[in-house]
Amino acid sequence: MAVNPFYLGTFALYLLVVLAIGAWGYTRTSDVDDFWVYGRDLGPWLATWSYVANFVSAVAVVGFIGSIYDVGYAVMAGISFGLMLGISTLYFVVGRVRELNHVTLPDLIADLTGRQWSRPVSAVILLGNAWLYLIMQLVGASLLVTTITGVPYEYMVWVIGFVFIAYTVMGGLVSVAWTDLLQGTLMYAMCIVALAFLAFDLGGITSINTQFAAMDAANTAPLGRGVYTVIGILGSIVAFFGTVFTSQSNIIRINATRDIRTAKFHLAAAGVLLGIFEVILVLLGGATSVALENAGITLQNVDKAFPVLITQYLPTEVGVVIILATMSAILSTTDTRLHAAGVTTARDIYGYFAGDVADEKKLRVSRYATVFFGVAATAIAVNPPGTIISLYEFRAILLTSAFLIPVYLGLYWRGLDGRVIIASMVLGTSLGVGWRLLGGPLGVPPTFLGVGGAVLTLAAGHLLVGTDTASATRAE
């Protein structure tokens, strides 16, 4: 593939801008509190756009559109609905989370259980999730840029990896939040422009849906082309619902806000913006499928659907706009997950085993861990173990099975014995992930098995052990 200098130049300029913001963030980061939680001074609109940008990723703009190309609108029943339901419900517990005034999810779990050793246990699960998320973001970004610029994938993945590692290491959440503000605004506006162009070019939204159904009636059917079942969609809803509640980056952002009012506002505002954006992405997926069909283009790798649309269908001027939007979506999520991995390692693993150490040392460990996980994810992304959506579903099962029931039931029922909560986390993780690795035998969704196992462990453990009076006392 020949190198496209116009696309390559635009991409290079974009990377220089986000690096400049990262360098500026470095000057605003004076201590570990700044690096981890923005000095707990994240305002309402900066928090809102940072959350929107963090939420929309390679999964949405590359993987989600690719899945619609593959199986039709049925994707939105399991993924979009679960995610939006999760944000809506998180709003009602965000006050309780912010009130506890912790930094990370393992902090919260240690408070609920009264066992500090739960911090490294839960941190290992969270780091596995973060690593998977980093891999799929890098795959999406590199596939996109390789397709549009002609630069070989194995080189581009390292270039992108270096850039997002660099600006995240420099400024922590300060750099992440401000680059997210730029990227979130750009992403949102440019995706609207892309859909408007395709709608005009293909005869309008109604025409797009009519043509999409004409390609295959299953494209607009609730269950798609037999890929989904009712129970499968319900399992997917539970999985993606759970990821919103159990994401380390979400907990960090909630605790980085100025106060409870700001925490609630940013979730409510982001929920509205993301609900609209999900509709835009669904329609953009259908429009992409129709446009490629009309152009006589068939793809084996569905993750390439959107990148190929840019290079082989859209005018260069429009393609540049969409490139910037897509890269904004991808990098804004990647930096958030990388930042969370650094915080988790320094606070919940190193902090637990090292004991009372200086904040300067914790800040150094955060930065070292950020580099390590960034490089490790980049190396794996050179030869990824699956498609973007398959990786996303795997980490959704991991998070939801491990944390959804134990953490949030424990948040409101503080008499639960801490050992029972931890056992529920471990068993839920083992069952959910193990069932997924076995391929989900008997048609039972892995999430159902993981969450069900966690619930049964809590119930049985509570009957055997009884009430943790120390936990109940701490709740007071």
Side-chain angles (χ1 to χ4, degrees):
M1 182 185 296
V3 173
N4 186 316
F6 187 71
Y7 283 142
L8 185 59
T10 302
F11 173 65
L13 179 62
Y14 176 80
L15 293 185
L16 289 174
V17 170
V18 295
L19 279 173
I21 295 175
W24 172 82
Y26 181 77
T27 67
R28 299 287 299 272
T29 304
S30 58
D31 56 32
V32 72
D33 208 40
D34 290 337
F35 191 90
W36 284 354
V37 285
Y38 201 86
R40 298 187 187 274
D41 194 35
L42 202 57
W45 285 110
L46 182 57
T48 296
W49 279 106
S50 182
Y51 187 90
V52 168
N54 156 57
F55 198 89
V56 181
S57 62
V59 177
V61 183
V62 177
F64 191 73
I65 289 175
S67 287
I68 291 176
Y69 173 82
D70 186 31
V71 302
Y73 288 152
V75 175
M76 67 181 177
I79 298 178
S80 297
F81 185 75
L83 292 173
M84 293 304 101
L85 184 63
I87 294 176
S88 302
T89 312
L90 183 59
Y91 174 84
F92 295 100
V93 300
V94 69
R96 181 65 174 141
V97 173
R98 184 64 180 82
E99 185 181 77
L100 293 172
N101 204 33
H102 293 305
V103 173
T104 64
L105 184 62
D107 280 340
L108 183 63
I109 293 170
D111 184 277
L112 296 176
T113 62
R115 273 79 178 173
Q116 287 297 314
W117 55 268
S118 67
R119 289 172 57 201
V121 172
S122 51
V124 169
I125 298 171
L126 289 168
L127 288 174
N129 161 70
W131 194 48
L132 285 170
Y133 218 109
L134 290 172
I135 292 169
M136 60 191 178
Q137 299 308 312
L138 283 164
V139 170
S142 303
L143 276 174
L144 172 72
V145 179
T146 293
T147 303
I148 62 180
T149 64
V151 176
Y153 174 88
E154 59 270 23
Y155 299 143
M156 189 51 66
V157 72
W158 283 105
V159 171
I160 295 172
F162 168 78
V163 170
F164 86 82
I165 292 169
Y167 77 76
T168 305
V169 165
M170 285 191 284
L173 192 58
V174 176
S175 296
V176 168
W178 282 100
T179 53
D180 283 354
L181 176 64
L182 165 69
Q183 293 170 153
T185 306
L186 185 64
M187 168 197 69
Y188 207 97
M190 296 304 98
C191 282
I192 292 174
V193 169
L195 179 59
F197 176 86
L198 285 172
F200 178 81
D201 190 61
L202 297 171
I205 298 298
T206 301
S207 175
I208 289 171
N209 289 330
T210 301
Q211 293 179 68
F212 197 32
M215 290 166 53
D216 188 332
N219 282 336
T220 55
L223 299 181
R225 300 171 190 162
V227 175
Y228 291 96
T229 62
V230 172
I231 193 171
I233 286 181
L234 289 174
S236 183
I237 288 173
V238 172
F240 292 111
F241 169 85
T243 62
V244 174
F245 273 73
T246 56
S247 169
Q248 176 80 311
S249 59
N250 284 354
I251 301 299
I252 290 173
R253 265 185 173 73
I254 288 169
N255 290 308
T257 54
R258 290 174 184 165
D259 47 39
I260 293 175
R261 183 178 180 180
T262 302
K264 287 185 173 181
F265 175 88
H266 98 281
L267 271 181
V272 172
L273 290 169
L274 287 168
I276 297 170
F277 194 73
E278 284 290 315
V279 174
I280 292 171
L281 283 180
V282 168
L283 294 174
L284 196 53
T288 297
S289 303
V290 171
L292 293 178
E293 174 74 12
N294 292 347
I297 299 171
T298 303
L299 301 172
Q300 296 299 317
N301 183 348
V302 298
D303 284 340
K304 290 186 176 181
F306 198 50
V308 168
L309 175 83
I310 295 171
T311 56
Q312 299 192 31
Y313 186 86
L314 298 176
T316 300
E317 296 80 5
V318 178
V320 168
V321 166
I322 299 177
I323 290 165
L324 293 177
T326 309
M327 286 306 302
S328 295
I330 293 171
L331 287 183
S332 61
T333 304
T334 307
D335 58 28
T336 298
R337 294 310 193 279
L338 184 59
H339 169 257
V343 175
T344 303
T345 303
R347 184 175 178 86
D348 300 314
I349 296 180
Y350 175 76
Y352 173 77
F353 289 105
D356 188 16
V357 296
D359 285 350
E360 292 80 5
K361 196 160 189 179
K362 291 178 183 176
L363 180 57
R364 285 200 300 273
V365 172
S366 287
R367 286 184 161 135
Y368 293 153
T370 299
V371 173
F372 172 80
F373 280 102
V375 171
T378 304
I380 296 296
V382 172
N383 186 22
T387 65
I388 292 172
I389 286 293
S390 67
L391 292 172
Y392 190 56
E393 289 175 341
F394 190 91
R395 52 82 54 175
I397 293 164
L398 171 66
L399 277 186
T400 303
S401 299
F403 299 124
L404 180 61
I405 298 300
V407 172
Y408 284 93
L409 185 58
L411 190 64
Y412 287 96
W413 186 6
R414 296 297 294 271
L416 280 171
D417 189 281
R419 293 165 297 177
V420 174
I421 294 175
I422 298 168
S424 176
M425 287 167 35
V426 173
L427 187 62
T429 303
S430 302
L431 289 174
V433 172
W435 203 248
R436 174 65 176 80
L437 291 173
L438 290 173
L442 307 176
V444 178
T447 309
F448 282 8
L449 202 66
V451 172
V455 170
L456 290 175
T457 303
L458 284 174
H462 185 63
L463 289 174
L464 292 172
V465 177
T467 299
D468 185 346
T469 55
S471 176
T473 302
R474 285 192 305 274
E476 299 300 322

